[in-house]
């Protein structure tokens, strides 16, 4: 998760954003389609050259928000400013927002070079670069997206990953102030997605634009972004740096959405959390009373007899690369545990009783 901001600047980003006249600022944006509220009073800010991910399940409002930024949707309420300007008052074609969609949207009858040059050639005559400048810019972009020598090919002659690079080059050709990416890797297989996201982060840093990236893939968001905004039901639930979100999810929903999660019922009181014979110190901000104890499958140890631990009944055991995946039940709740093959508890097999303890956990109030 490399950042175009220095480490000290990145840590201070929330303070700098408010003072930066070049920042994107979204304030109280709401949008409904009939009786369906797609966005509900969404507010956030992004620094100049920041890579911001919008993460959430289908229907959370991510794409609607991106379309508001692009000028493809008009909000019912709220304000969007970019570089100190009222962004909503600027026509979409003059916002200089480069947008990339999931399915490329390339012109099949045009070559790669013609696709990249399209946004420049359709500008009003007074704003249009001359032919030599367009060719120079196309060549520069082909180099930037690592497609040198492919300018004369047609989209059908390219792989999916190459086509998405062409779409990104076309978005950058207009020298955008902001790059808007709507699940650009959604149509690609897993390995190509991994390769392209590493490349995209490098390209973002070199291009030096503010990037807003929509995804429902938490791994992509955590790998790519300087900060991640998590949406649900049209509302902004939590915003922060990837590691901060992962370490301190604001709710059970965020915890579960950011990766594999287990949860078991417990009770918190007197600064302790208890379940059957297991007890451990509770975090200072833990709720009191019935709680759900959340922990990650890999964040467990298998302590010796006499040390605090939860008791689980093993349902199944399977190798997962260098790890052993143990499916078990604790207090009637199914859990998944991952242990390095050499550190698995002795005698682990279906029907066996094993003892384990989370190395770290979060507590959330049990649903009423």
């Amino acid at each position: 998760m490399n950042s175009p901001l220095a480490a000290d600047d990145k840590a201070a980003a929330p303070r700098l954003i408010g003072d930066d006249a070049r920042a994107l600022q979204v304030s109280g944006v709401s949008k409904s389609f009939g009786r369906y509220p797609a966005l509900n009073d969404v507010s956030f800010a992004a620094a100049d050259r920041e890579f911001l991910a919008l993460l959430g399940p289908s229907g959370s409002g991510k794409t609607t928000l991106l379309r508001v930024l692009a000028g493809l949707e008009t909000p019912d309420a709220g304000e969007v400013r970019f570089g100190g300007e009222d962004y909503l008052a600027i026509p979409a074609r003059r916002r200089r927002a480069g947008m990339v969609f999931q399915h490329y949207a390339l012109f099949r009858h045009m070559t790669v070079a013609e696709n990249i040059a399209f946004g420049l050639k359709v500008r009003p005559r007074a704003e249009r670069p001359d032919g030599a400048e367009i060719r120079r810019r196309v060549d520069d972009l082909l180099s930037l997206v690592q497609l040198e020598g492919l300018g004369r090919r047609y989209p059908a002659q390219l792989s999916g990953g190459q086509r998405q690079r062409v779409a990104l080059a076309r978005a950058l050709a207009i020298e955008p102030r902001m790059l808007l990416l709507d699940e650009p890797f959604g149509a690609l297989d897993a390995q190509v997605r991994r390769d392209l996201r590493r490349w995209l982060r490098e390209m973002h840093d070199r291009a030096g634009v503010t990037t807003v990236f929509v995804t429902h893939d938490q791994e992509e968001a955590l790998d790519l972004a300087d900060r991640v905004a998590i949406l649900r039901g049209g509302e902004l639930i939590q915003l922060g740096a990837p590691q901060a979100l992962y370490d301190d999810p604001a709710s059970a929903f965020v915890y579960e959405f950011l990766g594999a999660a287990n949860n078991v019922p417990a009770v918190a009181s007197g600064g302790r959390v208890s379940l059957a014979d297991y007890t451990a110190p509770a975090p200072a901000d833990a709720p009191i009373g019935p709680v759900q104890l959340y922990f990650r499958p890999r964040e467990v140890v298998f302590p010796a007899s006499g040390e605090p631990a939860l008791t689980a009944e093993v349902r199944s055991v399977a190798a997962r690369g260098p790890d052993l995946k143990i499916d078990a039940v604790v207090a009637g709740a199914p859990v998944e545990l991952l242990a390095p093959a050499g550190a698995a508890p002795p005698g682990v097999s279906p029907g066996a009783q094993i003892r384990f303890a989370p190395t770290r956990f979060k507590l959330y109030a049990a649903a009423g």
Side-chain angles (χ1 to χ4, degrees):
M1 288 175 275
N2 297 324
S3 169
L5 302 174
D8 290 344
D9 291 337
K10 186 174 178 180
R15 176 181 59 80
L16 292 176
I17 285 171
D19 299 331
D20 187 350
R22 298 170 296 176
L24 167 68
Q25 297 187 350
V26 175
S27 305
V29 167
S30 296
K31 175 68 178 179
S32 294
F33 297 100
R35 291 183 294 177
Y36 170 69
L39 295 171
N40 183 19
D41 195 25
V42 172
S43 299
F44 65 90
D48 182 52
R49 303 188 180 193
E50 182 175 8
F51 196 121
L52 178 72
L54 304 180
L55 176 66
S58 297
S60 61
K62 308 181 301 295
T63 295
T64 300
L65 181 53
L66 204 72
R67 289 173 62 85
V68 167
L69 298 180
L72 303 177
E73 298 287 355
T74 301
D76 301 327
E79 181 181 57
V80 178
R81 304 190 74 83
F82 191 86
E85 297 181 274
D86 180 357
Y87 214 48
L88 298 180
I90 303 173
R93 61 189 176 86
R94 295 191 177 277
R95 291 189 187 185
R96 286 177 55 197
M99 190 158 185
V100 179
F101 301 92
Q102 178 176 341
H103 295 290
Y104 324 129
L106 299 178
F107 298 110
R108 291 178 294 176
H109 65 287
M110 292 184 182
T111 65
V112 166
E114 289 168 340
N115 267 282
I116 295 173
F118 179 79
L120 299 172
K121 290 183 175 179
V122 298
R123 281 182 173 175
R125 184 177 298 275
E127 302 173 15
R128 189 185 312 154
D130 61 31
E133 173 60 18
I134 290 176
R135 287 191 295 273
R136 183 196 65 77
R137 198 174 299 180
V138 168
D139 288 342
D140 286 347
L141 286 164
L142 284 170
S143 176
L144 178 66
V145 301
Q146 301 172 358
L147 293 177
E148 301 97 323
L150 300 184
R152 294 185 178 181
R153 291 194 185 181
Y154 288 87
Q157 297 172 304
L158 304 178
S159 69
Q162 288 173 325
R163 276 179 252 173
Q164 196 58 283
R165 293 186 187 209
V166 175
L168 284 160
R170 185 177 62 183
L172 290 169
I174 63 170
E175 297 181 327
R177 302 167 70 193
M178 182 162 50
L179 188 60
L180 307 174
L181 309 176
D182 190 6
E183 304 211 40
F185 306 145
L188 305 174
D189 64 54
Q191 183 58 52
V192 175
R193 288 171 73 109
R194 283 191 291 271
D195 291 343
L196 273 183
R197 69 175 179 240
R198 285 193 295 267
W199 166 82
L200 175 62
R201 180 67 221 208
E202 293 172 2
M203 191 200 69
H204 160 84
D205 292 345
R206 291 175 61 189
V209 296
T210 301
T211 299
V212 182
F213 175 84
V214 161
T215 182
H216 65 268
D217 185 322
Q218 73 274 7
E219 185 178 329
E220 281 185 354
L222 298 178
D223 272 1
L224 278 168
D226 297 314
R227 291 187 306 147
V228 178
I230 300 177
L231 290 93
R232 182 188 190 189
E235 297 185 351
L236 179 60
I237 303 299
Q238 191 172 359
L239 172 64
Q243 195 62 48
L245 291 181
Y246 192 83
D247 289 343
D248 191 21
S251 66
F253 166 78
V254 175
Y255 195 107
E256 292 178 344
F257 198 75
L258 289 180
N262 296 306
N263 79 86
V264 295
V267 175
S269 64
R272 309 286 294 182
V273 59
S274 303
L275 169 59
D277 295 332
Y278 174 74
T279 182
D285 60 351
I288 303 299
V291 295
Q292 292 297 121
L293 186 153
Y294 276 77
F295 61 96
R296 305 286 180 193
R298 193 177 297 280
E299 296 176 343
V300 296
V301 293
F302 301 93
S305 178
E307 297 181 28
L310 290 160
T311 300
E313 180 179 343
V314 178
R315 292 293 176 85
S316 67
V317 181
R320 180 180 285 181
D323 296 328
L324 209 59
K325 174 178 172 289
I326 305 167
D327 288 317
V329 175
V330 176
V335 296
E336 177 185 304
L337 312 175
L338 288 176
V348 60
S349 61
Q353 300 280 316
I354 62 171
R355 302 173 73 253
F356 75 93
T359 55
R360 65 175 181 169
F361 57 83
K362 288 284 289 182
L363 301 178
Y364 300 101

